[in-house]
Amino acid sequence: MTGDPGALAKTASAAYDAALEVIASVEPRVAEATRKELADQRSSLKLIASENYASPAVLLTMGTWFSDKYAEGTVGHRFYAACQNVDTVEALAAEHARELFGAPYAYAQPHSGIDANLVAFWSILANRVETPALERLGAKNVNELSETDWEELRHEFGNQRLLGMALDAGGHLTHGFRPNISGKMFHQQQYGTDPETGLLDYDAVAAKAREFKPLVLVAGYSAYPRRVNFAKMREIADEVGAVLMVDMAHFAGLVAGKVFTGEENPVPYAHVTTTTTHKSLRGPRGGLVLAQEEFAADVDRGCPMVLGGPLSHVMAAKAVALAEARQPAFQTYAQNIADNAKSLAEGFNSRGAKLVTGGTDNHIVLLDVSSYGLTGRQAESALLDSGVVTNRNSVPQDPNGAWYTSGIRFGTPALTTRGFGHDEFDTVADLVHEVLSHTTPGTNKAGAPSKATYRLADGVADRVQARAQEMLDKNPLYPGLELT
Ligand SMILES: *Cc1c(COP(=O)(O)O)cnc(C)c1O
């Protein structure tokens, strides 16, 4: 960040004070909840791997009149009048994204990660199914097709194959999971991880791809604690004629911060790369699509293909966040995220805890809590009672299913933003271990064993909370930001 941090924090304090006063004049309960949310975030150990703390500059950018503007279309080509300022911020967001990630093309309109994936799926279908069909049928666009030809094309859209990472191996709902639209619109199959090591087995992915012949091979994850070799994934895609789509929603910050380089950087290898902007990338809630030239024109049709009016205020905030991510300090931040995850994993290993894949080389640590005799649900609740905010997560071949689960997922991006380092993350491991080793499974009303109830030994929550508070006090969230 440029400028004097102390003076900027003072200015931001005044801005938030004023904003909360204006909000309170209409609905004081919203102003109150907003204040409380800051206090709660400041006083908890946020270890949710998908969350972070965006800067005041990013947050303030979202609260403006850009929210009121409709701007369907693309930069310089809108279906609404008076979009010149939206053009400015959308072009800036796209330019920063292209420069930051070294991508030939960037699309800043998706409202979220899911939207970015929908844009990617439909641009791939447009490129590989619609365009060839139109050429075959001698039509310029779908409106020119006869009812019969249109029916046939619709049928073709609905019969394409997608191969993605299984949810319980760390994949995402949008990678072909049946309850999600991706699992309904595509004929889908999933690849998992090696049952022994928990690691991605590229030969097994290749074998599955050869057999299944997907149109889309999806790589990327939400809960896999390791790096992926995207050159290998591209080789697999090329061998079977698939499009490689990489969803870097979780680890985009590590790509932006040049921690993942070479074959670990998906952008040069994927035909289409999608991401959220609010996870390790530390921007506003939103999505981005990056693409090779071949897919640029198709992604550019995200509106009206999948999206309506873009969230102009959020695109403005994406431009600010991406400008932050282009500064050298972001590379230090990203390296610290990865180093801290290693410290956390070592902290767990040295206390005898069981980690999926045995450790980490990204920002995620996945703890298998079955060694404590607990389900993920019980562990998550006991940790929350102690001020440690995590989320339960399936482990590969999880015996407790996707609801109760057997794992707890930890991520380092948020606390790294607060300034936590090696010693703090070792202490985090100690606190988690202390809570879980003092938690026992409970019973239901009928006295039978329960996967949800638990008992946390007296005094543990207070002890853990006090030790956590010491670290939180030393590493304040938004230093210098004081609300009156
Ligand atoms: C978080 C996530 C998404 C979805 O992002 P939303 O902004 O919540 O829609 C998509 N893909 C992956 C891999 C994710 O981790």
Side-chain angles (χ1 to χ4, degrees), residues 50 111-117 170-175 219-223 247-251 274-279 285-287 409:
S50 51
H111 310 339
S112 70
I114 280 208
D115 280 10
N117 285 350
H172 190 257
L173 283 166
T174 53
H175 300 180
Y221 52 79
S222 301
D247 178 354
M248 62 172 184
H250 250 265
F251 56 87
T274 60
T275 185
T276 59
T277 47
H278 49 274
K279 298 183 181 176
R285 297 203 81 79
R409 185 183 67 162

Side-chain angles (χ1 to χ4, degrees), residues 165-166 168-170 191-201 224 396-397:
M165 194 173 195
D168 75 348
Y191 58 85
T193 46
D194 182 278
E196 296 290 308
T197 61
L199 297 172
L200 202 52
D201 175 349
Y224 180 66
Q397 294 95 41

